[in-house]
């Protein structure tokens, strides 16, 4: 199997210039693709990026889904119906595909899918997990395609450092996650906020870690949008988790924090700066915050699982009934 | 003041070809811009579209925000800080702007903003409200720029018919909104689902009509994503509102309905087909569903207001305290 770097070089050699990058999947895999989308949006002068659920790629396809487009997909189990259909459709349209999966026996791992089969062990390095792989692909692509791109080395350095930062942060928050679960395990509802590249993790924390794995009701909010409606719900009884990222978007998280400090009583701040993300160059570390926040969502949901006695792997519908 | 049609013609005459359309605002105004974003994404072969909160446009600007870009903004009160800043920044970058506002005395109504001051009375026609204005602008732009564009007349026809459809639907659901409020006014939490162009109204229904105007906790979901996590919360105690649109995205809403019919007990279906959207040509009526759903959210929130005795205009923070 080719490395992500080999794969993107081969695709560019064959396809020529990439003009559009589509990042598409479902649920938790879709979450993992958002930082790459945000990165291309913010950095590229030659490529547009698109982030959407795999079904929508097929039912309402962009006319830029054609030769010159790169479609990056991800399906952990490798047989997600919508994702497989999106990959096939993208190929029919003339686009190049790269498909990440954890399952080497799956449809997504077939050679025609340009597969990257990733490992998913506790010991797996962050740069070898989907979020890291996407950054490796897109960093190479930016370097090949844009002579003015200056962040290549900083991203490579970030990819080397990310795993250590994440592991240290997981240790650091262990006790906090227990205390959080102890205080809030019976909470009927909470809001989770984030912005920038990390908005994806507010979404993923909500739909995967809590709604799916804990059957806990919650809602994701964009920290910037909080002030244009959702903040009217804030009071001393409502619970919030605020993901504070870095980079230019951080001002939105800081504004939300100031508001929560004044008007809320129950809120948990998960601050990438405090958790060591600054060891990565500040010109790019915002793109690595989502990796860190994903690990934090795992830590917090594990705390909740133990206190609530609700196994993370328990499902009543997914993989259990027909739908 | 120039009409939307005159304005876009003047901009294209001055700027030449439009390559990127940015639709940006905050909160409820951002919601109104989504159908235009979705329309360009689905229909255009010459333009990319972008939809994002106004603050993010400024803190993390696309490199395509330059000459050749059109930025459409909206601020009901006309002085929203982030939106005004985004308009000014876009102009500095060389992009053309069009700014919609209801307030003729506001910053957004100043001549340099290329303003469209819209009326917002009960009698205001849908084509003269922000969602209608955006469709008028983009329909003209598509006609000017893409010789192969075939939906111009169908969109014009839809713009003529929309107001009548919406008014008839509002009458039709009056009793349903009372019954909904009677049954569910004490519900602690609900989920609101939609997809396609109408995903925006699941978002707006949640953050504006319920979180802001009723201080009711809720969460918006994409009907397609529902099956990749959030559906694990579904049971006979959870309340759902499902917005069923038209067009190719409808299959996702139908799948959600089938699931709710089987596993939920409390759900309200608001179906654009049943409410008359089919009077508009089926090649374009999906773009008009969000107008209809907005009117439905007003009808339902009014029912809730009356039963809950929570005035829609009551605020504890917005316009009341500093933040």
């Amino acid at each position: 199997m080719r490395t992500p770097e080999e794969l993107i070089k081969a695709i560019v050699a064959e396809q020529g210039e990439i003009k559009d990058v589509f990042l598409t999947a479902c649920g938790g895999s879709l979450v993992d693709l958002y930082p790459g989308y945000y990165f291309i949006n913010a950095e590229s002068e030659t490529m547009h990026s698109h982030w959407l659920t795999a079904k929508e790629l097929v039912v309402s396809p962009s006319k830029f889904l054609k030769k010159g487009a790169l479609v990056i997909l991800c399906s952990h189990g490798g047989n997600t119906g919508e994702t497989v259909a999106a990959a096939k459709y993208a190929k029919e349209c003339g686009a190049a595909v790269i498909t990440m999966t954890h399952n080497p026996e799956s449809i997504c791992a077939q050679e025609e899918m340009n597969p990257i089969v990733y490992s998913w062990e506790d010991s797996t390095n962050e740069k070898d997990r989907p979020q890291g792989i996407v950054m490796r692909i897109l960093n190479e692509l930016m370097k090949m395609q844009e002579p003015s791109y200056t962040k290549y080395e900083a991203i490579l350095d970030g990819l080397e450092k990310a795993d250590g930062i994440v592991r240290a942060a997981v240790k650091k928050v262990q006790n906090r996650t227990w205390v959080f679960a102890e205080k809030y395990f019976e909470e009927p509802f909470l809001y989770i906020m984030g912005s920038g590249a990390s908005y994806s993790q507010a979404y993923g924390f909500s739909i995967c870690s809590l709604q799916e794995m804990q059957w806990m009701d919650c809602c994701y909010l964009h920290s910037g949008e909080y002030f244009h409606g959702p903040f009217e719900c804030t009071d001393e009884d409502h619970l919030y988790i605020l993901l504070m990222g870095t980079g230019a978007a951080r001002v939105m998280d800081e504004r939300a924090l100031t508001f929560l400090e004044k008007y809320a009583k129950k809120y948990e701040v998960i601050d990438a700066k405090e958790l060591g993300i600054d060891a990565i160059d500040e010109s790019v570390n915002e793109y690595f915050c989502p990796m860190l926040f994903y690990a934090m969502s795992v830590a917090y949901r594990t705390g909740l699982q133990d206190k609530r006695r609700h196994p993370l792997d328990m499902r009543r519908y997914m993989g259990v009934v027909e739908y």
Side-chain angles (χ1 to χ4, degrees), chain A residues 68-121:
Chain A
L70 168 66
V71 183
I72 302 178
L73 306 104
C74 185
S75 166
H76 191 73
N79 296 314
T80 310
E82 297 97 314
T83 308
V84 170
K88 289 183 175 171
Y89 183 73
K91 286 165 62 74
E92 284 167 25
C93 294
V97 304
I98 294 178
T99 310
M100 297 181 289
T101 180
H102 177 53
N103 181 359
E105 308 302 323
S106 66
I107 301 172
C108 285
Q110 290 172 0
E111 189 53 33
E112 59 171 22
M113 292 288 193
N114 284 338
I116 296 174
V117 177
Y118 58 83
S119 65
W120 191 256
E121 308 296 326

Side-chain angles (χ1 to χ4, degrees), chain A residues 43 109 171 198 219 262 320:
Chain A
E43 303 290 349
K171 279 189 190 155
S198 297
C219 182
K262 196 159 180 183
V320 177

Side-chain angles (χ1 to χ4, degrees), chain A residues 5-163:
Chain A
E5 293 79 4
E6 288 165 354
L7 199 47
I8 187 63
K9 283 174 187 165
I11 285 171
V12 171
E14 192 187 309
Q15 288 259 329
E17 190 183 12
I18 300 296
K19 293 182 174 168
D20 286 86
V21 180
F22 291 85
L23 297 128
T24 192
C26 302
S29 292
L30 182 58
V31 169
D32 280 351
L33 300 176
Y34 192 86
Y37 160 76
Y38 193 87
F39 167 73
I40 292 294
N41 253 353
E43 303 290 349
S44 180
E45 55 188 40
T46 63
M47 293 178 279
H48 285 87
S49 68
H50 311 249
W51 179 78
L52 71 173
T53 190
K55 187 72 180 177
E56 210 144 283
L57 184 93
V58 175
V59 300
S60 186
S62 163
K63 294 192 164 48
F64 295 99
L65 186 64
K66 60 183 181 183
K67 185 162 161 47
L70 168 66
V71 183
I72 302 178
L73 306 104
C74 185
S75 166
H76 191 73
N79 296 314
T80 310
E82 297 97 314
T83 308
V84 170
K88 289 183 175 171
Y89 183 73
K91 286 165 62 74
E92 284 167 25
C93 294
V97 304
I98 294 178
T99 310
M100 297 181 289
T101 180
H102 177 53
N103 181 359
E105 308 302 323
S106 66
I107 301 172
C108 285
Q110 290 172 0
E111 189 53 33
E112 59 171 22
M113 292 288 193
N114 284 338
I116 296 174
V117 177
Y118 58 83
S119 65
W120 191 256
E121 308 296 326
D122 286 346
S123 61
T124 304
N125 194 296
E126 286 294 334
K127 70 180 178 185
D128 297 319
R129 294 171 183 256
Q131 295 195 63
I133 293 165
V134 171
M135 286 307 296
R136 288 164 63 187
I137 292 168
L138 297 177
N139 194 42
E140 284 301 322
L141 181 54
M142 286 291 291
K143 185 190 178 200
M144 281 187 278
Q145 197 155 303
E146 302 195 8
S148 64
Y149 178 57
T150 59
K151 299 186 177 178
Y152 180 75
E153 295 295 339
I155 294 281
L156 284 189
D157 181 62
L159 285 161
E160 287 308 313
K161 289 176 177 163
D163 199 66

Side-chain angles (χ1 to χ4, degrees), chain A residues 89-297:
Chain A
Y89 183 73
K91 286 165 62 74
E92 284 167 25
C93 294
V97 304
I98 294 178
T99 310
M100 297 181 289
T101 180
H102 177 53
N103 181 359
E105 308 302 323
S106 66
I107 301 172
C108 285
Q110 290 172 0
E111 189 53 33
E112 59 171 22
M113 292 288 193
N114 284 338
I116 296 174
V117 177
Y118 58 83
S119 65
W120 191 256
E121 308 296 326
D122 286 346
S123 61
T124 304
N125 194 296
E126 286 294 334
K127 70 180 178 185
D128 297 319
R129 294 171 183 256
Q131 295 195 63
I133 293 165
V134 171
M135 286 307 296
R136 288 164 63 187
I137 292 168
L138 297 177
N139 194 42
E140 284 301 322
L141 181 54
M142 286 291 291
K143 185 190 178 200
M144 281 187 278
Q145 197 155 303
E146 302 195 8
S148 64
Y149 178 57
T150 59
K151 299 186 177 178
Y152 180 75
E153 295 295 339
I155 294 281
L156 284 189
D157 181 62
L159 285 161
E160 287 308 313
K161 289 176 177 163
D163 199 66
I165 293 168
V166 168
R167 287 178 195 280
V170 168
K171 279 189 190 155
K172 189 168 182 175
V173 302
Q174 176 65 83
N175 190 61
R176 291 181 206 174
T177 65
W178 289 330
V179 174
F180 179 87
E182 186 71 25
K183 285 166 77 174
Y184 300 126
F185 78 105
E186 292 185 308
E187 203 69 23
F189 174 74
L190 69 158
Y191 287 105
I192 306 179
M193 287 197 268
S195 73
S198 297
Y199 173 63
S200 55
Q201 289 298 326
Y203 180 64
F205 204 144
S206 299
I207 70 157
C208 298
S209 294
L210 299 187
Q211 292 171 4
E212 177 181 339
M213 297 184 177
Q214 287 295 296
W215 308 355
M216 276 181 79
D217 293 317
C218 56
C219 182
Y220 43 100
L221 295 173
H222 189 285
S223 312
E225 285 283 279
Y226 174 60
F227 294 93
H228 298 280
F231 75 155
E232 283 289 334
C233 284
T234 303
D235 59 23
E236 297 195 347
D237 294 323
H238 277 80
L239 175 60
Y240 289 82
I241 293 176
L242 174 62
L243 306 179
M244 298 188 71
T246 55
R250 184 176 171 89
V251 293
M252 292 183 276
D253 308 327
E254 287 174 340
R255 189 182 182 207
L257 177 60
T258 301
F259 192 87
L260 290 174
E261 285 173 340
K262 196 159 180 183
Y263 296 105
K265 203 165 150 188
K266 303 193 295 193
Y267 54 93
E268 185 82 358
V269 177
I270 306 180
D271 185 347
K273 255 185 201 293
E274 189 250 342
L275 294 172
I277 206 73
D278 277 350
I280 297 172
D281 192 89
E282 68 172 0
S283 69
V284 300
N285 64 19
E286 65 184 303
Y287 306 123
F288 293 91
C289 293
M291 284 179 188
L292 178 58
F293 290 138
Y294 172 69
M296 295 301 99
S297 74

